[in-house]
Amino acid sequence: MGRERCASKRVVNVVFISPHFPPQWALFCVALKNEGANVLGMGDTVSPDLRPPLSDVLADYAYVPHLAHYDSALRAMGYLVWRHGKIHRLDSLNEHWLDLEGALREDFNVPGPRREETTRNRSKMGMKTIFRAAEIPCAPGELVTGAEQVRRFAREHGLPLVFKPDTGVGAARTWKVSSEKELEEVLLRPLEGYIVEPFVQGNITSFDGLTDAAGRIVFWTSHVYSQGVMETVTHGLDVHYWSRRQIPAQLEALGRKMVQAFGIRERFFHAEFFEHPDGSFTALEINIRPPGGFTVDMMNYACDVDLYRLWARVVTGKQVEDFRFERKYHSAHVSRRYTRNYRHPHEELVRRLGETMVVHHVLPPIFSQAMGDQMYLLRHQDQEKLQEAIRLVETLG
């Protein structure tokens, strides 16, 4: 990898944290390189383990054995500055490293969300504060301070309740409480850093997209989930989710309002809502990053676009005002688990799905609890045909 210090002011130095994971994130680095950026990696895997195409596009790489140790990341960032000059952008597009991003941006004066903003944006209570100020419907909630406070909250709002970490990813360490007995059992657990809120009945749907430097939404779509992540993780269920071709007007209005309220610029967003039978929506949370798993690929296949490149153009300051897209297909992620017996073996399934299946992946173990062990990415212009394909993948023997 090159060791020359960047002399041209026209070169945009972009540090990408953990460029090797998840594996498809390497495509963001490829897109940055193709848009003329000097791509600098920082990660916790040793340089010889980086493989093409990632290793081909990194101008430099700083190995940090433990990215969670801020002093080590700070020194690695200083090393990259020494070698390449001013860092113009820094990102990971990964929920796990958002706080690290914010701290490094602040300490090295890199544009983008700083410590206070990333901490607030990852806090579920922080989100609720912004939702309420923007008059976006959301469930009531409180930070847990003691057993009596929780019992009072239960009397006020009724059961069931949900306990979840104020700052967390997915549904790890999240509990649903449906009875007084279950409530008392949960109150015996350490609940520091948890929030409590009423259980909201509704289908999970999202408003996802990307904003430019001015905060204008340049791409947007919506996905519908078979069930919440909490139910998937708790019961080990198969999960599928699929993209809409038409977005309900109220959902889009609330999603746009949320993006504006959070001041999202040059970033992907993934806003989650409960969709109710009467057509109304209640905000669940917002993540200032791309939706998880292979959803970026789903969005690309649904619209025949390249969001890796679009993001890279935004980050490197290119004009994107002329970008246009059409939702040509419904796309879907459909999972399978090794612990379940399916009616149609993989080879038969691939044959029967035909052109409806565009990608099959074995997922990294870290994804399996929430997203399954294998993923079939499907697309079809007709929603009913897509649903038939989803049922074909999920049918048990």
Side-chain angles (χ1 to χ4, degrees):
M1 296 179 188
R3 294 176 176 269
E4 296 82 6
R5 190 180 183 89
C6 294
S8 172
K9 292 182 179 179
R10 291 174 296 178
V11 173
V12 178
N13 288 323
V14 182
V15 172
F16 203 104
I17 298 173
S18 190
H20 62 287
F21 189 85
Q24 68 273 27
W25 261 214
L27 297 177
F28 284 114
C29 294
V30 171
L32 284 169
K33 175 69 173 178
N34 289 341
E35 291 300 325
N38 195 46
V39 189
L40 312 171
M42 179 193 301
D44 56 9
T45 194
V46 294
S47 184
D49 287 343
L50 300 176
R51 297 286 183 263
L54 179 60
S55 57
D56 295 335
V57 300
L58 291 180
D60 209 341
Y61 179 77
Y63 168 58
V64 183
H66 302 288
L67 280 171
H69 295 169
Y70 186 67
D71 285 350
S72 299
L74 190 73
R75 286 193 292 273
M77 187 74 168
Y79 163 84
L80 292 173
V81 170
W82 172 69
R83 303 244 301 186
H84 299 274
K86 179 176 175 57
I87 303 302
H88 302 97
R89 292 293 186 273
L90 177 148
D91 217 322
S92 71
L93 302 173
N94 191 320
E95 181 80 20
H96 195 71
W97 303 121
L98 290 181
D99 288 343
L100 174 61
E101 290 176 23
L104 289 174
R105 286 193 196 99
E106 188 167 325
D107 285 341
F108 288 88
N109 195 28
V110 178
R114 304 295 177 91
R115 281 185 179 95
E116 183 178 352
E117 189 174 348
T118 56
T119 300
R120 179 204 66 187
N121 289 349
R122 296 191 68 221
S123 161
K124 293 178 175 60
M125 288 306 300
M127 294 177 199
K128 287 182 186 293
T129 299
I130 296 176
F131 293 159
R132 291 166 185 153
E135 298 183 343
I136 297 169
C138 65
E142 294 180 6
L143 196 64
V144 174
T145 58
E148 284 307 314
Q149 170 231 1
V150 172
R151 293 187 185 105
R152 175 195 54 75
F153 188 88
R155 289 192 298 270
E156 182 178 348
H157 297 283
L159 298 173
L161 299 175
V162 174
F163 291 82
K164 61 180 73 171
D166 183 44
T167 302
V169 180
R173 300 179 291 119
T174 296
W175 307 296
K176 178 184 175 184
V177 167
S178 301
S179 68
E180 293 290 345
K181 180 176 181 294
E182 290 177 351
L183 177 61
E184 292 304 319
E185 289 173 353
V186 166
L187 289 175
L188 295 175
R189 300 177 181 181
L191 294 174
E192 183 179 356
Y194 270 72
I195 70 166
V196 57
E197 59 186 27
F199 176 77
V200 178
Q201 190 68 46
N203 295 326
I204 302 293
T205 188
S206 68
F207 182 69
D208 305 303
L210 174 68
T211 63
D212 66 10
R216 183 176 66 95
I217 299 176
V218 294
F219 177 85
W220 66 99
T221 191
S222 172
H223 296 91
V224 180
Y225 292 74
S226 54
Q227 67 266 331
V229 178
M230 182 174 68
E231 290 80 7
T232 301
V233 170
T234 301
H235 303 294
L237 303 174
D238 288 332
V239 63
H240 71 258
Y241 57 100
W242 53 275
S243 66
R244 306 178 194 255
R245 294 186 68 189
Q246 299 294 327
I247 303 176
Q250 186 184 4
L251 174 62
E252 182 170 336
L254 287 172
R256 288 180 174 277
K257 196 176 194 180
M258 190 181 292
V259 169
Q260 183 177 17
F262 279 80
I264 302 171
R265 287 173 170 77
E266 291 188 354
R267 298 191 67 82
F268 283 96
F269 56 86
H270 172 59
E272 296 180 353
F273 295 83
F274 293 105
E275 183 173 3
H276 306 294
D278 64 359
S280 64
F281 297 87
T282 301
L284 175 57
E285 64 181 54
I286 186 168
N287 305 117
I288 318 300
R289 55 158 174 82
F294 289 85
T295 314
V296 173
D297 297 309
M298 282 177 58
M299 296 189 291
N300 283 339
Y301 281 113
C303 304
D304 282 336
V305 295
D306 185 350
L307 292 175
Y308 296 106
R309 183 186 178 200
L310 183 63
W311 172 82
R313 288 184 65 81
V314 168
V315 168
T316 55
K318 306 289 178 57
Q319 295 297 316
V320 294
E321 284 82 356
D322 59 348
F323 175 78
R324 299 291 183 271
F325 68 97
E326 177 188 352
R327 299 183 197 94
K328 300 178 181 180
Y329 302 89
H330 298 282
S331 62
H333 162 119
V334 193
S335 74
R336 279 188 166 187
R337 296 185 184 276
Y338 295 138
T339 54
R340 312 190 88 183
N341 181 36
Y342 298 93
R343 179 175 300 176
H344 307 291
H346 172 72
E347 293 75 13
E348 176 191 342
L349 182 63
V350 170
R351 177 177 57 81
R352 294 186 63 170
L353 288 171
E355 292 183 354
T356 301
M357 190 190 89
V358 290
V359 171
H360 166 259
H361 281 299
V362 175
L363 299 180
I366 195 171
F367 290 161
S368 62
Q369 191 177 26
M371 304 195 75
D373 299 301
Q374 298 183 68
M375 178 274 283
Y376 295 83
L377 199 160
L378 316 176
R379 75 174 183 179
H380 203 287
Q381 290 182 324
D382 184 88
Q383 183 178 328
E384 273 307 310
K385 295 292 186 183
L386 184 76
Q387 297 300 327
E388 288 176 12
I390 291 172
R391 288 191 289 271
L392 194 68
V393 176
E394 292 184 333
T395 300
L396 298 176

